[in-house]
Amino acid sequence: MKEQIEQLLEEIKGLKCATDKEVEEARIRLLGKKGEVTKLFEEFRGIAPELKKEFGQKLNVLKKEATAKIEELKSMAKATGSASTNSDDVTMPGDPYGLGSRHPVSIARQQIINIFRKFGYDVAEGPEIEDDYHVFEALNFPPNHPARDMQDTFFVSVGHPNPLLLRTHTSSVQVRTMEKMSLPIRVICPGRVFRNEAISARAHCIFHQVEGLYIDENVSFADLKQAILLFAREMFGADTQIRMRPSYFPFTEPSAEVDVSCNICKGKGCNICKGTGWLEILGCGMVDPNVLEASGIDSKKYSGFAFGMGVERIAMLKWQVNDLRHYFENDMRFLREFSPCVEV
Ligand code: PHE
């Protein structure tokens, strides 16, 4: 037994392992249930009592040495890294990251912004919680206009002469721009708006708008028409036609609604344009002199045009989305359809 112990001590001293796996094999060979050290402890039970003290001590030293060596080899194998184990193949493809894509409303909004930026418009933003003055009063809404009703507008505070509310359009940002920017003004106002409407395929209580405002000397309706035509052709294709129908907004006079020729049937009539060949895209008009004056602009010297469009609607027409609710439901099958549209 003495020789065996000495032999094992020698072996342990010289033990070398390159990998975790080899260390584990050495541990099992020495200290495992059927390991050599374990076996010696079993033999020790049967030796003569007078030898027990000497061999007991020797065996304890052996076990200690073996355990310490295994620990040392383990930490060395870890430090040299697992590269040497050949278990990692560095040429294997990496784990793919699940990259997201932009939301169709963000893509459409950015495309609209990019087009008007090219025309020289600045981008302005304003608060979503607004006061009555900037959403209605300064925009020439009469006091009893239905939009000022609780049925149509979400009020944050009531019973106040200038109550807080969730803005129903981003025209409020145009008012703020007129108040503080020097003339001429050429600005677009993208943002979220809120209306107290029942949610359906064609309406939602939250949606996005991009509104525009251009004020300078001698701005005419022809300028408005040209700006909208250029926008429509950039957005829907170079062969797009527009038509204007008379309309009414408290803040513009004259006012118009703009249709573009249906980009599906090219004007022949289909179920998207309901057989008319035209799709409504925005409202617009010449800024009412009352609105200019309310913001301190001389309406005899300056004139301007304004327009406003719903981003969801533009995106619906561009990509033939038939239900507005798709935009808000976060159904991955719908959202993934727009991943190739990340060029913006
Ligand atoms: N503010 C109008 C709306 O929300 C859109 C609009 C803007 C119309 C500017 C005319 C001029 O419906």
Side-chain angles (χ1 to χ4, degrees):
M1 184 179 252
K2 199 174 163 196
E3 278 120 60
Q4 269 178 303
I5 292 174
E6 271 159 18
Q7 213 182 321
L8 272 175
L9 273 172
E10 274 306 300
E11 196 191 311
I12 287 165
K13 242 192 234 165
L15 200 59
K16 282 198 176 73
C17 297
T19 65
D20 279 347
K21 204 171 148 223
E22 283 176 32
V23 178
E24 182 58 9
E25 278 165 8
R27 188 193 66 79
I28 292 168
R29 187 157 46 79
L30 294 166
L31 298 162
K33 264 193 190 149
K34 291 180 184 156
E36 310 213 26
V37 177
T38 319
K39 249 192 255 165
L40 286 176
F41 270 91
E42 269 160 28
E43 278 174 37
F44 171 76
R45 277 196 226 139
I47 64 167
E50 65 273 20
L51 296 173
K52 279 217 161 156
K53 191 175 172 202
E54 185 194 343
F55 282 104
Q57 277 172 354
K58 281 194 165 47
L59 275 176
N60 280 338
V61 170
L62 176 68
K63 192 173 178 183
K64 236 171 142 184
E65 289 287 312
T67 314
K69 187 74 180 182
I70 295 291
E71 282 309 310
E72 182 194 324
L73 288 171
K74 239 190 225 169
S75 52
M76 265 164 60
K78 218 174 257 161
T80 42
S82 49
S84 57
T85 64
N86 293 334
S87 65
D88 281 350
D89 179 353
V90 293
T91 63
M92 291 270 282
D95 289 338
Y97 276 110
L99 272 188
S101 56
R102 299 188 75 177
H103 192 278
V105 172
S106 301
I107 296 169
R109 184 192 54 187
Q110 198 56 47
Q111 288 183 350
I112 299 167
I113 291 173
N114 288 351
I115 293 169
F116 282 104
R117 273 235 171 100
K118 251 194 329 200
F119 298 165
Y121 285 70
D122 288 328
V123 176
E125 286 184 353
E128 291 179 347
I129 300 176
E130 258 294 4
D131 53 23
D132 181 279
Y133 175 80
H134 288 92
V135 175
F136 298 128
E137 186 77 35
L139 286 160
N140 207 30
F141 278 80
N144 53 356
H145 192 281
R148 289 182 158 199
D149 202 302
M150 296 277 274
Q151 303 316 96
D152 297 283
T153 302
F154 292 111
F155 282 86
V156 176
S157 65
V158 277
H160 191 274
N162 185 23
L164 288 179
L165 43 87
L166 299 184
R167 68 182 179 195
T168 55
H169 52 185
T170 58
S171 304
S172 51
V173 186
Q174 301 177 342
V175 175
R176 288 187 178 275
T177 306
M178 287 190 284
E179 283 170 352
K180 59 173 194 266
M181 250 172 79
S182 51
L183 293 161
I185 289 172
R186 205 184 293 167
V187 70
I188 48 168
C189 313
R192 228 163 27 149
V193 299
F194 310 83
R195 290 182 193 176
N196 195 359
E197 296 209 25
I199 295 169
S200 71
R202 299 174 62 87
H204 207 285
C205 54
I206 302 175
F207 60 101
H208 299 77
Q209 281 189 327
V210 176
E211 297 217 351
L213 176 70
Y214 179 30
I215 302 176
D216 202 348
E217 290 176 39
N218 302 318
V219 177
S220 71
F221 200 91
D223 297 324
L224 167 63
K225 209 169 158 188
Q226 187 64 11
I228 301 297
L229 178 65
L230 288 176
F231 163 72
R233 292 196 164 159
E234 291 272 338
M235 196 71 200
F236 295 105
D239 54 353
T240 306
Q241 303 292 325
I242 62 164
R243 75 172 183 188
M244 290 179 140
R245 289 175 287 108
S247 184
Y248 172 77
F249 299 102
F251 35 90
T252 46
E253 183 58 38
S255 306
E257 221 112 28
V258 178
D259 300 336
V260 290
S261 51
C262 178
N263 56 344
I264 317 293
C265 62
K266 304 285 170 218
K268 284 193 206 80
C270 65
N271 61 347
I272 301 285
C273 60
K274 299 202 186 71
T276 63
W278 294 97
L279 299 162
E280 186 191 322
I281 58 160
L282 55 80
C284 62
M286 301 306 291
V287 182
D288 193 301
N290 286 346
V291 173
L292 295 176
E293 296 290 343
S295 294
I297 295 171
D298 182 354
S299 64
K300 295 208 174 58
K301 190 164 173 210
Y302 291 99
S303 56
F305 64 71
F307 56 86
M309 66 191 94
V311 180
E312 281 82 354
R313 177 156 180 86
I314 299 284
M316 277 173 110
L317 300 178
K318 196 166 163 103
W319 295 307
Q320 288 116 54
V321 177
N322 58 7
D323 192 321
L324 195 68
R325 288 168 292 196
H326 287 313
Y327 292 127
F328 304 100
E329 278 167 358
N330 288 334
D331 184 333
M332 293 303 284
R333 291 167 304 179
F334 172 73
L335 297 176
R336 281 208 186 99
E337 290 198 19
F338 297 90
S339 41
C341 301
V342 287
E343 88 270 10
V344 284

